[in-house]
Amino acid sequence: MNKQDRIRGSFFGAIVGDALCLGSHYEYDAQKIWKAYGNAPISKFMSPGEMMGGQTHGIGWGERNYHPGKKAGGTTDYGDYNILILEHLANMGSPAKEFSVDELIPHWKKRLENGWGSWICTMTKTTYEQIRVGVETKHLGGPSNAMAIRHVAAHAYYDNEDTLAQVARQSMFTHKESSALGGGEFFARVTNRVINGQTPGDAIEEVAILMGGFFESKTAQAIAKHKEATDPTTELSKEQFVDDLSITSMARLWDIGRSEPIRVGKASPTEGTLPGSIYFILKYANEEDGLNRALQANAMVGGDNASRSIAIGMVLGAYFGIDALNKEWKESLEQNEYCEELLSKLPLLQA
């Protein structure tokens, strides 16, 4: 496997993983998803809420169709943002140039204003309004702690780890909160190391030590849960919904005051999405067909599975490479050819 295969695997692993989540995004009942999909893991792309009455239960935000402009094979807002960054990088041209949020914003506004189709998060709305009233770029963003990784295409544009860490933060310009921005940096560093030959486990442990504090603690939590879930002597390992129980057990209850409380592990905050993503990466990195099985398993857990899918897909896609990705999924991805064309223009993938 060459480096280009790893880079393409990283990008399409993330986008395909996101598209697999479109049908169940924000559905917090894993057993409901399992029954809706015929008591089996998801095997094809679904439209929003397909097989579940056309909507999902985003606890705190109610039951609705969160992506009304999308159909099977399309992406959620997480995938949309990564394709947006891909478009911007392709427009920047070669050789590689410095990433600029100021230069990105006009393109971002145009995309938002012309049939975005996906859920528009509160921080995106907040930042759009800030720009409208003239807030300086360096002061943009809101306080959400939701991990929103958007920089996957940058791994085909830059190869320096510190540069990628910075671009990961810049592409999340709608966020200010430290754990959210750090989550993007964490997986940028891990993915770069895997693209350059490290195993996911080694890369995760090294980056956790490098970043320390919150990130080291959450990584240790995920490693411990992975060991418990895969130890055949534990009660957890014998559970049918072992992944769902593992994810939810790593997080506190979050009483958001709008309806029933939920476990943060399945919601958007980085304190849940980061260890949850690490759990799936570690569990499936050493399994046969691990990339595709991880993307399936993550989609079936529900919650904000699309956020986790980007991290899981980019790391395991880099590890297993593009040829390991389910070809039927990739080819039925709505923007497959479009993304291939744009990726081919980026410096590290130019012929």
Side-chain angles (χ1 to χ4, degrees):
M1 192 190 315
N2 61 38
K3 193 168 178 178
Q4 288 72 29
D5 290 336
R6 293 187 184 277
I7 293 171
R8 292 180 64 239
S10 181
F11 181 83
F12 281 106
I15 300 302
V16 165
D18 174 77
L20 282 172
C21 294
L22 181 66
S24 58
H25 194 205
Y26 295 132
E27 175 53 61
Y28 279 82
D29 188 341
Q31 295 188 37
K32 177 183 175 182
I33 297 171
W34 178 258
K35 291 176 183 177
Y37 290 174
N39 299 315
I42 186 171
S43 60
K44 64 177 182 178
F45 294 137
M46 301 275 191
S47 60
E50 186 175 341
M51 310 301 292
M52 290 185 285
Q55 56 191 16
T56 49
H57 188 186
I59 295 178
W61 295 271
E63 293 192 16
R64 67 173 79 174
N65 180 344
Y66 286 89
H67 305 285
K70 294 304 180 81
K71 60 183 180 180
T75 47
T76 78
D77 49 312
Y78 293 99
D80 290 345
Y81 258 111
N82 277 286
I83 294 172
L84 180 142
I85 297 299
L86 168 62
E87 292 169 339
H88 180 64
L89 291 170
N91 287 332
M92 285 169 59
S94 183
K97 300 175 180 64
E98 185 176 349
F99 191 91
S100 166
V101 177
D102 284 318
E103 292 177 4
L104 169 65
I105 286 174
H107 178 55
W108 171 76
K109 286 182 63 181
K110 183 178 179 180
R111 290 278 267 106
L112 279 179
E113 293 166 354
N114 291 276
W116 182 250
S118 293
W119 171 256
I120 299 178
C121 70
T122 304
M123 294 304 98
T124 295
K125 294 177 181 176
T126 297
T127 306
Y128 186 89
E129 179 60 19
Q130 289 173 336
I131 291 172
R132 189 187 70 81
V133 298
V135 174
E136 290 184 73
T137 302
K138 63 182 179 181
H139 297 306
L140 292 176
S144 172
N145 60 358
M147 191 175 78
I149 298 173
R150 301 166 177 168
H151 72 277
V152 184
H155 291 279
Y157 199 86
Y158 306 102
D159 194 28
N160 178 272
E161 183 177 311
D162 290 334
T163 301
L164 285 162
Q166 179 63 25
V167 172
R169 288 174 171 270
Q170 289 176 294
S171 63
M172 289 176 62
F173 65 96
T174 58
H175 291 58
K176 288 181 178 178
E177 201 271 340
S178 60
S179 69
L181 294 171
E185 175 181 341
F186 182 94
F187 286 108
R189 292 185 182 277
V190 169
T191 302
N192 179 253
R193 293 178 186 218
V194 174
I195 286 173
N196 284 290
Q198 277 194 277
T199 65
D202 287 346
I204 285 168
E205 291 193 35
E206 288 183 9
V207 173
I209 293 171
L210 173 69
M211 295 185 67
F214 170 87
F215 302 96
E216 190 169 11
S217 172
K218 283 296 174 181
T219 298
Q221 184 184 32
I223 291 172
K225 186 58 61 176
H226 164 246
K227 289 179 179 179
E228 180 186 359
T230 55
D231 181 348
T233 66
T234 66
E235 291 301 315
L236 177 61
S237 69
K238 300 179 178 67
E239 292 284 348
Q240 179 184 1
F241 295 94
V242 56
D243 291 335
D244 181 57
L245 291 170
S246 295
I247 296 300
T248 55
S249 67
M250 284 194 286
R252 62 186 170 88
L253 277 174
W254 184 26
D255 186 358
I256 53 180
R258 299 183 183 180
S259 59
E260 64 267 45
I262 59 175
R263 292 281 183 181
V264 173
K266 292 180 71 167
S268 305
T270 306
E271 67 179 277
T273 52
L274 187 137
S277 300
I278 293 172
Y279 165 86
F280 280 108
I281 291 167
L282 295 178
K283 182 175 181 182
Y284 291 95
N286 296 315
E287 293 198 12
E288 186 176 354
D289 198 27
L291 171 59
N292 298 309
R293 292 187 62 200
L295 299 181
Q296 282 180 308
N298 171 64
M300 297 301 291
V301 166
D304 196 358
N305 48 9
S307 175
R308 299 189 303 268
S309 74
I310 301 298
I312 297 164
M314 66 192 290
V315 174
L316 290 182
Y319 185 55
F320 286 100
I322 188 64
D323 290 337
L325 187 61
N326 184 307
K327 290 184 180 179
E328 182 180 344
W329 292 347
K330 181 178 179 297
E331 290 172 1
S332 58
L333 189 68
E334 190 177 76
Q335 299 193 70
N336 176 42
E337 293 182 2
Y338 177 65
C339 290
E340 283 279 21
E341 180 183 355
L342 293 181
L343 275 173
S344 69
K345 297 179 180 179
L346 303 190
L348 299 181
L349 291 181
Q350 286 182 341

